[in-house]
Amino acid sequence: MTDAIVIEGIRADGRHGLPGERDIPQPFVVDVELRYGLRAAAAADRLDETIDYGAIACEVRDVIESTSVELIETLAENIAERLGAFGADSVLIRVSKPKAAESLGVDAVAVVIER
């Protein structure tokens, strides 16, 4: 059985997309699922036995705000790479770009990767 910590709706503004899209920061929304054994943390009832989801949210925001790439696929990969330092068995990253969805007349445009 695999346990998971899930953080949904991490929001930050970034400069990602085609050259014209990067002139003005636009919103990005990221959902993260970190698969990690939680039994020891639950038994010990100790934060140091688990993954600090506040720290995860800060790392995701930092990647969005401090980098600039063309593809949200690359942004998702960069986030997954950064979160690898937290020791999860695997991570699932969903990056959504709301402005792109609006311009296409659809509800959502997103990329999902698992590492």
Side-chain angles (χ1 to χ4, degrees):
M1 180 180 296
T2 302
D3 305 323
I5 292 174
V6 178
I7 307 165
E8 296 179 337
I10 303 168
R11 299 174 190 282
D13 290 339
R15 295 176 182 269
H16 307 286
L18 299 175
E21 294 178 294
R22 289 188 259 169
D23 294 339
I24 299 171
Q26 56 185 300
F28 290 83
V29 181
V30 177
D31 301 327
V32 175
E33 180 176 317
L34 297 105
R35 296 196 186 105
Y36 180 77
L38 300 174
R39 184 171 285 166
D45 195 26
R46 295 171 43 110
L47 179 60
D48 63 354
E49 294 285 335
T50 190
I51 296 173
D52 180 348
Y53 35 86
I56 296 294
C58 287
E59 291 293 330
V60 170
R61 283 189 200 101
D62 184 59
V63 173
I64 294 169
E65 295 170 349
S66 69
T67 65
S68 181
V69 296
E70 284 192 17
L71 301 176
I72 59 174
E73 292 87 335
T74 307
L75 181 59
E77 189 68 40
N78 292 347
I79 292 168
E81 185 177 308
R82 178 82 67 93
L83 298 186
F86 286 85
D89 297 327
S90 66
V91 297
L92 183 82
I93 309 291
R94 181 179 189 268
V95 176
S96 178
K97 188 175 178 182
K99 291 285 187 185
E102 288 175 11
S103 69
L104 295 172
V106 299
D107 289 338
V109 173
V111 168
V112 178
I113 66 167
E114 184 173 2
R115 301 291 181 261

